[in-house]
Amino acid sequence: MLLPIAAPPPVPVPHGPAAPLAVNVLDATSLLSSFGALGIAVILFAETGLLVGFFLPGDSLLFTAGLLCASGTSGTVHLTLWQVLLSSVAGALLGAQTGYVLGRHGGPALLARTKSARLHEGAARATELLDRYGHAKAVVLARFVPVVRTVLNPLAGALGVPAHTFAVWQVAGGTVWSAGLVLGGYALGSSVPHVDTYLLPIVAVIVVVSLVPLAREVLRGRRARTGEDM
């Protein structure tokens, strides 16, 4: 007679925090939910100070962070406004100054090491900005143009833009850009209840708008080259 075999006791499952999901560095919400306000400083430092950070979502990150500070949002991620502002401004300013110092000492070798067509195109636009608007205005305007704000800082150092001029105007431009986008997101989140439910289309609009200056510069450059060839 066969005796029934008792089933093994269930293995206890430890109750702990769930394993973290993979972070999407191109998604502002993913970055903010994973790293919070401190992550903003790191991302902006990489985007504005290191050539490898040209693909990072600076504009959408800042606006989304400000939106998630508002009390009217319903998402699981909530940030503190003063922490976001402090991290944003610190990352933007320290990153730009670091990029300038690297360019001052490394020169054109910084750009020569990369084969990214997008980076080289951004460098060409940055050079045009410096030539057309002068050092002060170009440093400020570059903050609002993706990719250009990454390459202009080391390029300014390599081309010998005076250190005092660069420091003064990168602080002015960086503060307006970073704090302005954060406060813009916070104002929208405070005035429209549950606006974070429309986060994806809002971020898409921000990305498109942020690319408009770059597209205009590219078209202007092509028209100028076409005129020279005629």
Side-chain angles (χ1 to χ4, degrees):
M1 180 178 180
L2 298 177
L3 297 175
I5 300 175
V11 178
V13 178
H15 295 283
L21 299 176
V23 179
N24 182 357
V25 295
L26 299 179
D27 180 17
T29 306
S30 176
L31 288 167
L32 292 169
S33 61
S34 300
F35 303 112
L38 182 61
I40 300 172
V42 176
I43 295 299
L44 293 188
F45 180 89
E47 189 197 15
T48 60
L50 307 175
L51 290 177
V52 295
F54 71 93
F55 62 90
L56 294 170
D59 294 316
S60 58
L61 180 72
L62 290 168
F63 193 88
T64 303
L67 190 149
L68 294 177
C69 291
S71 58
T73 56
S74 57
T76 57
V77 182
H78 186 76
L79 303 174
T80 304
L81 182 60
W82 72 266
Q83 293 177 348
V84 168
L85 285 171
L86 183 62
S87 297
S88 301
V89 173
L93 302 190
L94 291 175
Q97 203 63 43
T98 300
Y100 175 85
V101 172
L102 291 175
R104 192 85 165 182
H105 293 285
L110 286 170
L111 285 172
R113 292 174 184 170
T114 179
K115 297 181 180 180
S116 170
R118 190 180 180 192
L119 265 182
H120 285 291
E121 188 172 323
R125 301 285 81 77
T127 304
E128 289 179 13
L129 280 176
L130 287 169
D131 292 340
R132 183 182 304 130
Y133 298 112
H135 296 162
K137 192 173 181 180
V139 169
V140 173
L141 291 176
R143 286 289 190 173
F144 300 88
V145 185
V147 184
V148 175
R149 63 171 162 262
T150 302
V151 296
L152 184 133
N153 301 319
L155 194 64
L159 295 178
V161 174
H164 180 266
T165 299
F166 179 83
V168 169
W169 292 104
Q170 77 93 354
V171 168
T175 302
V176 171
W177 171 66
S178 57
L181 281 172
V182 169
L183 292 174
Y186 179 76
L188 180 63
S190 300
S191 58
V192 181
H194 309 301
V195 70
D196 53 321
T197 57
Y198 306 101
L199 194 55
L200 285 178
I202 290 173
V203 169
V205 170
I206 295 170
V207 172
V208 171
V209 171
S210 68
L211 290 175
V212 168
L214 181 60
R216 291 179 60 186
E217 291 297 324
V218 171
L219 290 175
R220 184 180 288 122
R222 289 180 179 176
R223 289 171 182 170
R225 286 193 294 272
T226 302
E228 292 174 357
D229 295 337
M230 294 178 61

